């Protein structure tokens, strides 16, 4: 019989916690056009992209919330890049969008086909498919690196589909 060391059990526990927390990501939906800030203060600096333009999320965009304190979410608005988004800018979507084809609100002329088979969400755009998850009433579709590429939300006045391609958002 083989004995396990305390360190092996500790590493196994750490890996299990990491796997569980990865599946427990929290997303927030932007209910009104807003700004991302470098610090949790509207009088502080607005985050800028590489072209020195303000990061201004549109209504319907969705971001991974890394932390929430004192009325502010630390969000990841581009892979590996974080900033502060005020609670006043976010709201819970009122209903889960249905499968269908949606025009992308932030990419004129482009569309996203959303399907549901059993409990498996999928999106198709430009001949590529993306797996999706439903968290609350938010649909998030990711690429092979688990980076959000599309989302769909509905605040009660119709679904809003968004692209997170940097050529569209200009976030980086």
């Amino acid at each position: 019989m083989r004995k396990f060391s305390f360190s092996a059990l500790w590493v196994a526990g750490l890996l299990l916690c990491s796997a569980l927390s990865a599946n427990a990501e929290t997303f927030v939906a932007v209910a009104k056009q807003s700004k991302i800030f470098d610090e949790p203060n509207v009088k502080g600096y607005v985050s800028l992209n590489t072209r020195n333009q303000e990061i201004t999320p549109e209504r319907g965009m969705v971001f991974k919330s890394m932390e929430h304190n004192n009325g502010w979410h630390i969000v990841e608005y581009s892979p590996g890049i974080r900033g502060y988004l005020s609670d006043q800018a976010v709201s819970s979507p009122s209903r889960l969008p249905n499968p269908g084809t949606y025009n992308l609100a932030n990419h004129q002329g482009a569309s996203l086909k959303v399907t549901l088979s059993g409990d498996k969400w999928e999106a198709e755009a430009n001949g590529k498919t993306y797996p999706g998850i439903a968290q609350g009433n938010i649909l998030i579709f990711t690429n092979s690196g688990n980076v959000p590429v599309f989302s769909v939300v509905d605040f009660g006045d119709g679904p809003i589909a968004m692209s997170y391609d940097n050529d569209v958002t200009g976030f980086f």
Side-chain angles (χ1 to χ4, degrees), residues 8-25:
L9 289 174
W10 183 81
V11 168
L14 183 62
L15 290 173
L16 178 62
C17 288
S18 294
L20 291 174
S21 66
N23 290 331
E25 294 175 326

Side-chain angles (χ1 to χ4, degrees), residues 7-88:
S7 61
L9 289 174
W10 183 81
V11 168
L14 183 62
L15 290 173
L16 178 62
C17 288
S18 294
L20 291 174
S21 66
N23 290 331
E25 294 175 326
T26 301
F27 292 88
V28 293
V30 177
K32 62 181 182 178
Q33 189 169 0
S34 57
K35 295 181 181 187
I36 300 285
F37 293 87
D38 289 342
E39 55 190 45
N41 182 339
V42 294
K43 295 180 183 176
Y45 294 102
V46 175
S47 297
L48 303 175
N49 63 17
T50 57
R51 295 180 296 261
N52 209 34
Q53 299 166 326
E54 294 182 346
I55 305 297
T56 54
E58 296 178 36
R59 182 176 188 266
M61 288 189 156
V62 172
F63 299 107
K64 188 183 307 180
S65 178
M66 312 307 284
E67 189 177 321
H68 180 239
N69 286 314
N70 300 320
W72 291 88
H73 290 272
I74 298 175
V75 297
E76 186 171 78
Y77 61 89
S78 194
I81 305 174
R82 299 177 180 172
Y84 290 86
L85 180 65
S86 172
D87 265 349
Q88 295 175 353

